[in-house]
Amino acid sequence: DAGVTQSPTHLIKTRGQQVTLRCSPISGHKSVSWYQQVLGQGPQFIFQYYEKEERGRGNFPDRFSARQFPNYSSELNVNALLLGDSALYLCASSPLGAEAFFGQGTRLTVV
Amino acid sequence: DQQVKQNSPSLSVQEGRISILNCDYTNSMFDYFLWYKKYPAEGPTFLISISSIKDKNEDGRFTVFLNKSAKHLSLHIVPSQPGDSAVYFCAASPDRGSTLGRLYFGRGTQLTVWP
């Protein structure tokens, strides 16, 4: 069975640019969450979507946005990239009320 | 404001011995706790969880203990194996009843199991 898949796996962007990260959840999972993991820290919650609606938002600026599609896949967009946005971005999917399963992540480097 | 704390950044254990990873939390609203394991270049993998109504949950070599009064949980791995070498994250959720969309993670503990 396919797990959570994220694309791309690695990305290099310049300050000020915009980036879109993609996530396909495990089949049957309707909830998708996004996390940012900076080196040396644990994952920090960015967004959670369920049935295409935003169900939670972490303490991130409005430059971060996301959406979920009818097939439950999701995109995370970050505008006006800063050097500090360099991190591993993780997507997790879960059936309602159960543990979250993570993808391998997208490593974003902002130069 | 770190609501989930893993105060030991690293732990080194000999193969066959017990590994004990510790985690403390500050938010009394947390009612579900999880441990994830992470290898380099991979996403976190769910390991074991425990509800706040229990004080112990066991799954094979892995046991999680919860002390609600102390706001402390620990993960025991017995016996430890070299393949267990990874970063272990403690995570907590305030509302398992709906969805675990929001997890609060500690900074992780790097476990090294040597032969």
Side-chain angles (χ1 to χ4, degrees):
Chain A
D1 288 341
V4 178
T5 58
Q6 293 185 243
S7 63
T9 55
H10 295 84
L11 201 54
I12 299 175
K13 288 287 189 178
T14 304
R15 276 179 300 175
Q17 283 189 316
Q18 175 264 342
V19 67
T20 298
L21 310 181
R22 295 175 176 82
C23 172
S24 293
I26 293 172
S27 178
H29 289 190
K30 299 180 179 180
S31 172
V32 170
S33 299
W34 288 93
Y35 290 80
Q36 180 196 65
Q37 186 183 8
V38 174
L39 194 63
Q41 309 232 359
Q44 296 291 315
F45 174 78
I46 309 176
F47 285 109
Q48 193 238 346
Y49 276 79
Y50 178 75
E51 289 283 15
K52 302 183 292 293
E53 291 188 2
E54 182 181 304
R55 292 283 293 266
R57 172 186 282 256
N59 189 24
F60 280 82
D62 292 343
R63 299 184 295 108
F64 289 75
S65 63
R67 55 179 175 169
Q68 187 177 33
F69 298 98
N71 65 353
Y72 304 111
S73 67
S74 178
E75 287 181 351
L76 174 70
N77 296 284
V78 187
N79 294 323
L81 285 167
L82 303 174
L83 294 180
D85 295 330
S86 296
L88 179 68
Y89 287 85
L90 295 162
C91 174
S93 76
S94 62
L96 191 64
E99 292 72 18
F101 296 86
F102 286 85
Q104 83 282 7
T106 294
R107 172 70 62 187
L108 172 65
T109 302
V110 182
V111 297
Chain B
D1 182 22
Q2 196 78 10
Q3 299 187 54
V4 177
K5 300 177 183 179
Q6 294 177 258
N7 293 320
S8 297
S10 64
L11 175 67
S12 182
V13 172
Q14 187 176 23
E15 181 179 7
R17 306 292 288 265
I18 184 171
S19 294
I20 300 176
L21 296 97
N22 294 304
C23 176
D24 297 293
Y25 62 96
T26 58
N27 190 339
S28 58
M29 297 300 292
F30 289 149
D31 69 351
Y32 199 68
F33 304 89
L34 309 90
W35 284 93
Y36 283 85
K37 178 171 70 172
K38 187 178 185 300
Y39 294 116
E42 294 184 12
T45 302
F46 169 73
L47 199 56
I48 192 170
S49 61
I50 187 167
S51 167
S52 60
I53 62 174
K54 296 185 176 181
D55 55 18
K56 177 183 175 181
N57 188 28
E58 192 172 353
D59 183 1
R61 297 186 297 116
F62 302 92
T63 303
V64 56
F65 295 91
L66 175 62
N67 183 334
K68 283 183 63 179
S69 61
K71 293 189 176 67
H72 177 82
L73 63 156
S74 61
L75 174 67
H76 293 211
I77 306 174
V78 183
S80 301
Q81 300 174 353
D84 296 329
S85 297
V87 177
Y88 288 77
F89 289 102
C90 173
S93 171
D95 185 12
R96 183 176 192 268
S98 60
T99 176
L100 291 184
R102 178 161 197 165
L103 295 175
Y104 294 78
F105 283 85
R107 292 178 184 249
T109 297
Q110 171 69 57
L111 173 65
T112 302
V113 181
W114 47 280

